[in-house]
Amino acid sequence: MATVTYDKATRVYPGGDKPAVDALDLQIEDGEFLVLVGPSGCGKTTSLRMLAGLEDVNSGRILIGDRDVTNEAPKDRDIAMVFQNYALYPHMSVADNMGFALKIAGVEKSEIRKRVEEAAKILDLEQYLERKPKALSGGQRQRVAMGRAIVRQPQVFLMDEPLSNLDAKLRVQTRTQIASLQRRLGITTVYVTHDQVEAMTMGDRVAVLKDGLLQQCDTPRRMYDHPDNVFVAGFIGSPAMNLLDSQLTDGGVSLGDSVLPIERSLLGATKNSTVTIGVRPEDLKVDPTGAGLPVTVEVVEELGADAYIYGSTPTGGADKPIIARVDGRRPPQKGETVHLIPEVGHVHLFDKTSGERLGA
Ligand code: ATP
């Protein structure tokens, strides 16, 4: 087991005009499950491949434990990767697939058998060891791919969207299995996904990337409650946080016809007369007195206990979309206008220009 350190690690692809990964600084603890998440093209896979040694590091360093591996060959790094396309050898049995890397490394047959059996036990694959991959379900094949990584007893697991070939239900099951397996084995893991729900449910910490730049690295709870900028605020959470531009007025920010009181000290850093306010759908409440944001309900999504209303509110001469969670037993009707007011203490404020969080 080991820590992993990205120290200003940068990758510029040949011909690229800007870095795919730009001065990435990350310290991953021994045994930690760290998830790299972000939209397509943000540099997740490149970051993982740099750690694997499959991509050059143009500046900065990568360390595994105290060892600078920046220029080490992939095979010397003591890592094991699980890919999206887990590409099992079709002509080999499950046991041979799982033990193949050890065979190549010259590990003794009896030792290979022992490790394969141990991994099969952990992964509930014991009864399939002699089968060929084509006689397995998608989920079982995925577990064989995990087994292949486990038998190598690496210092670090690297996983690149390992669940994306599975259907939605299996994906949910398998993500729980991987997360609990990782905790049991205690092997430092870096996991790439574009799915923020996967990131939030699996990671000890989540690192959000955008355009090759690290935006925030935090526990899922902290990331949700305290996004450092507008991008993270909008990216983490489903349905997404409502983000609205709002005028600063005496004592607060204007919201429809009312003023939302905000402590002046929170706004200290901004020079603009407009701020971006962020409120999660569950933190908007219907106000029976008609104060707050007037929202015309366009769609009501009933989920049983809760319902989400999707509507719009007029701000700055245009209609802005708004989502709010409401009581599933008494949802407003489509076409109705409701007034929504944020819960005190659950309003996020961001600088309009930089997008950075204002206040604590
Ligand atoms: P996705 O979720 O779509 O897989 P990602 O976040 O993993 O995306 P990367 O694959 O790391 O993103 O790509 C980061 C950037 O680097 C993108 O702009 C991509 O076009 C570029 N890129 C990736 N691989 C290469 C390459 N081999 N040569 C040149 N540019 C590349």
Side-chain angles (χ1 to χ4, degrees), residues 26 58 82 135-136 152 160 175 230 242 247 277 279 283 312 316:
L26 261 184
N58 299 99
V82 182
L136 299 178
R152 295 176 55 191
D160 192 356
R175 91 180 173 217
V230 163
N242 297 291
Q247 288 293 320
I277 70 169
V279 188
D283 295 327
S312 58

Side-chain angles (χ1 to χ4, degrees), residues 13-14 20 38-47 161 194:
Y13 284 108
S40 180
C42 70
K44 306 178 291 290
T45 296
T46 304
S47 304
E161 307 244 9
H194 64 276

Side-chain angles (χ1 to χ4, degrees), residues 80 115 119 122-123 145-154 157 181 185 187:
R115 289 205 213 167
I122 293 172
L123 293 161
M146 286 291 297
R148 229 171 16 181
I150 292 174
V151 296
R152 295 176 55 191
Q153 302 177 341
F157 279 141
L181 179 66
L185 298 174
I187 294 180

